[in-house]
Amino acid sequence: MEYQLYSDPTWGKRVKISDEHRLIARWFNDELYENNELIDAFFTALGRTTEQLVQGREMRLLLGDGEACFQSHGLFHDDEQTLALYSGDDLALDESELQAWCGIEDLRALASAWRHFR
């Protein structure tokens, strides 16, 4: 997984990743950004070898079997009545905004670089 760490004059320290992994960038840029409690939970979970679940405000992270799965809470939206309101619209669901996978070793490398960069 290729990523870029950069400083934005407006938003501060940011992570940029390819489109198929953009949910992972959102995890670092939005969920972890200045949330020390979640940062601690994230790094604790990364250090464990058992299956872990880390809940953020808008997404969650599942760690297990050598893989990390980032899932938007929008994936679990099951209100059929609300979804039916939009059925006639020409809207498409972008899967890369709802779920992303990467290897735990790749995630550990990114997390370490991010921690030192911030």
Side-chain angles (χ1 to χ4, degrees), residues 25-75:
R26 266 191 54 212
W27 175 261
F28 286 94
N29 295 335
D30 300 337
E31 293 285 338
L32 294 183
Y33 186 76
E34 295 186 351
N35 185 339
N36 291 328
E37 185 177 312
L38 187 59
I39 291 170
D40 290 343
F42 171 63
F43 278 99
T44 298
L46 271 180
R48 296 207 172 135
T49 56
T50 58
E51 190 170 295
Q52 299 290 308
L53 172 66
V54 183
Q55 288 280 0
R57 290 176 316 239
E58 296 181 20
M59 66 182 72
R60 70 184 193 178
L61 168 61
L62 299 165
L63 298 168
D65 296 326
E67 291 194 320
C69 177
F70 294 83
Q71 297 176 318
S72 170
H73 291 315
L75 226 130

Side-chain angles (χ1 to χ4, degrees), residues 91-104:
L91 299 175
L93 206 55
D94 186 354
E95 291 290 327
S96 64
E97 290 290 332
L98 298 176
Q99 188 165 296
W101 295 80
C102 71
I104 287 181

Side-chain angles (χ1 to χ4, degrees), residues 105-116:
E105 292 307 315
D106 286 341
L107 180 59
R108 284 183 178 137
L110 169 57
S112 177
W114 177 80
R115 178 182 258 174
H116 288 93

